[in-house]
Amino acid sequence: MENYVALDLETTGLSPKNDRILEIGAVKIEEGRETGRIATLIDPQMKIPERIRELTGITQEMVAGQPTPAEAVRAFLDFCGELDLMGHNLIFDYSFLKHQAADQKIPFEKNGIDTLKIARILLPDLESRSLTNLCGYFQIDRAHAHRAYHDALATHELYQHLVRIAEEGQERIFQ
């Protein structure tokens, strides 16, 4: 797949019904090259839990005056156009976007590719296939872990490594 939007969200918690999107990060890839990016902080219109502040470094002051979840999701969907989504444990991010779109009565149906599912198939012997561990395994920079844009970029880089492994496996099969 050479055309997609690598995506990551930071959220106030784990429940799309009760929690909110805090940050959207995305990298648009077309013909294998980056053609656009989004790094948007969002005012979740609720108090950011302390554990999320500690994990992400995102504070109430940082999100004050930023777009609402509804505004940010609408802008993100415009950014994506018809491109498929890619993410690590994509269903998590997809469920938050889907819930927000449904609240606004915006149709939201996207195909997606999940690097976690691919890693489970290609790297079954790894103890953990979390984004952090896989980035360590492939020596992908994680200096800004748990910030949406940087995690989206790391997911894109991870995908490139997974494609290489899959292609090498195919070569061995047909030799």
Side-chain angles (χ1 to χ4, degrees):
M1 190 160 85
E2 291 188 351
N3 301 304
Y4 55 87
V5 174
L7 159 73
D8 188 72
L9 303 181
E10 299 303 329
T11 64
T12 61
L14 302 176
S15 168
K17 183 177 178 183
N18 300 315
D19 294 303
R20 305 270 174 77
I21 300 171
L22 188 56
E23 184 179 33
I24 297 175
V27 182
K28 185 183 287 187
I29 305 296
E30 296 175 288
E31 304 302 321
R33 293 187 2 249
E34 181 179 333
T35 60
R37 62 176 68 174
I38 286 182
T40 305
L41 284 170
I42 298 168
D43 181 348
Q45 302 174 317
M46 66 182 285
K47 185 174 173 30
I48 301 170
E50 185 175 336
R51 65 181 161 62
I52 300 299
R53 286 193 313 271
E54 290 172 0
L55 180 68
T56 65
I58 300 171
T59 65
Q60 288 304 144
E61 294 77 23
M62 292 169 69
V63 300
Q66 298 296 325
T68 65
E71 294 166 337
V73 167
R74 191 174 295 276
F76 172 73
L77 294 176
D78 288 344
F79 172 79
C80 290
E82 298 299 316
L83 292 175
D84 293 336
L85 300 179
M86 172 186 296
H88 196 75
N89 193 21
L90 181 60
I91 193 68
F92 177 82
D93 298 320
Y94 190 93
S95 65
F96 272 86
L97 292 168
K98 179 78 171 172
H99 191 270
Q100 185 62 55
D103 282 353
Q104 298 178 66
K105 299 184 180 14
I106 297 172
F108 179 71
E109 295 297 328
K110 291 275 189 193
N111 291 322
I113 188 162
D114 190 335
T115 55
L116 176 59
K117 288 182 179 180
I118 296 169
R120 285 178 175 154
I121 294 166
L122 295 177
L123 302 167
D125 296 331
L126 288 184
E127 185 174 318
S128 170
R129 285 166 296 280
S130 69
L131 184 59
T132 297
N133 285 352
L134 287 167
C135 286
Y137 182 79
F138 289 112
Q139 299 178 338
I140 297 169
D141 179 31
R142 293 293 288 158
H144 302 284
H146 300 293
R147 290 304 302 268
Y149 168 73
H150 295 285
D151 285 355
L153 186 58
T155 299
H156 163 63
E157 291 179 40
L158 171 61
Y159 179 68
Q160 301 310 306
H161 286 282
L162 295 173
V163 166
R164 183 181 41 77
I165 289 171
E167 288 172 347
E168 289 171 359
Q170 288 295 323
E171 288 175 15
R172 284 193 296 270
I173 289 171
F174 293 109
Q175 288 180 351

